[in-house]
Amino acid sequence: MKNTVINTARLFGAGLRALLVLTLVTGVIYPLVVTGFAQALFSDKANGSEIKDGTGQIVGSSLIGQSYNLPLKEGQETPEPDLKWFQGRPQNGLGTNSVNTQYKLILSGATNRSADNKDLIDWVKAAKAAVVKDNSTAEYKVEPSEVPADAVTSSGSGLDPDISPDYADLQVHRVAQQNGLSVDQVQKLVDDHTEGRTLSFIGEPRVNVLELNIALKDLLARS
């Protein structure tokens, strides 16, 4: 009986020591090492890929899209886009649900509707008509055939911060007119903020909308 008690105590002590060692290694040392490497080698990404404006104020993340809308008017359920700014992809995300997912981090996801789904087709048609209407000016007429896919569909997450160069180019005339700038000035902003494929072969060329609009704001401040 005495030997049994002693053996049990030894086993308990060994288990406790193992628990303490594993807790120290996996719960303290490993997280500190990983965090240290991340801060030393990838500090920007580790801290959320923050974007600052010209005053040094953090205004968002390069990984999460933002909306540029006018304040809701009385009786409105959906805000109108603020046409002074470049617009990102549609923010349908999960579509209509109990939680508004428009560029919010509460939920993300796609509509999960097939290409022949009537609701999706109606959304795309309405979005295309809005893109044509909003981006046409007296001197520049947008044709429906010129509207790229990312202008009328949300991304898989609904949070995509980037648009295609084609969609950015399509908005240049409207942004120039709304802000009293020349088309060449605005087009240069787009060209300067167009990123190529990652490692020259991964993904597609893209334009980060938040970074582009920060540059536009800075240009307006200097004009």
Side-chain angles (χ1 to χ4, degrees):
M1 181 68 179
K2 182 178 179 180
N3 289 337
T4 301
V5 172
I6 292 174
N7 289 335
T8 301
R10 287 175 178 172
L11 288 173
F12 178 79
L16 181 60
R17 287 193 297 272
L19 174 63
L20 292 175
V21 170
L22 287 173
T23 299
L24 179 64
V25 172
T26 62
V28 179
I29 296 176
Y30 177 74
L32 287 176
V33 170
V34 171
T35 300
F37 272 115
Q39 290 294 334
L41 302 178
F42 312 102
S43 60
D44 177 62
K45 292 181 174 60
N47 291 315
S49 301
E50 297 170 339
I51 295 181
K52 299 179 180 180
D53 62 13
T55 65
Q57 180 179 356
I58 297 172
V59 294
S61 168
S62 63
L63 303 177
I64 303 296
Q66 293 191 16
S67 57
Y68 294 88
N69 295 326
L70 295 170
L72 275 173
K73 299 176 183 177
E74 186 176 352
Q76 276 188 329
E77 294 184 0
T78 303
E80 298 174 3
D82 189 342
L83 298 180
K84 294 190 305 181
W85 305 105
F86 284 92
Q87 297 292 315
R89 298 186 66 166
Q91 303 161 28
N92 300 87
L94 295 172
T96 302
N97 53 75
S98 59
V99 179
N100 186 341
T101 62
Q102 294 188 355
Y103 285 154
K104 304 296 183 182
L105 293 180
I106 301 173
L107 289 173
S108 68
T111 60
N112 288 331
R113 287 172 166 80
S114 63
D116 60 353
N117 179 270
K118 184 180 184 303
D119 288 339
L120 180 60
I121 292 172
D122 290 342
W123 290 345
V124 170
K125 287 182 177 178
K128 178 177 283 192
V131 169
V132 170
K133 177 178 177 293
D134 290 344
N135 291 283
S136 293
T137 67
E139 293 79 24
Y140 178 73
K141 172 66 176 176
V142 176
E143 298 296 334
S145 59
E146 298 174 334
V147 178
D150 62 302
V152 296
T153 56
S154 59
S155 63
S157 68
L159 304 172
D160 194 346
D162 302 320
I163 57 176
S164 66
D166 287 342
Y167 188 26
D169 290 342
L170 185 144
Q171 300 183 60
V172 165
H173 287 77
R174 182 254 299 163
V175 171
Q177 182 188 69
Q178 290 281 331
N179 291 286
L181 299 170
S182 71
V183 171
D184 289 342
Q185 284 177 298
V186 180
Q187 184 65 59
K188 186 177 186 306
L189 287 181
V190 172
D191 294 342
D192 290 345
H193 288 81
T194 298
E195 301 178 47
R197 292 180 172 87
T198 303
L199 300 178
S200 300
F201 69 94
I202 299 175
E204 296 293 332
R206 60 199 181 277
V207 181
N208 187 285
V209 180
L210 176 56
E211 293 177 352
L212 180 58
N213 279 331
I214 290 174
L216 174 60
K217 183 179 179 180
D218 291 341
L219 176 60
L220 290 171
R222 298 193 306 267
S223 299

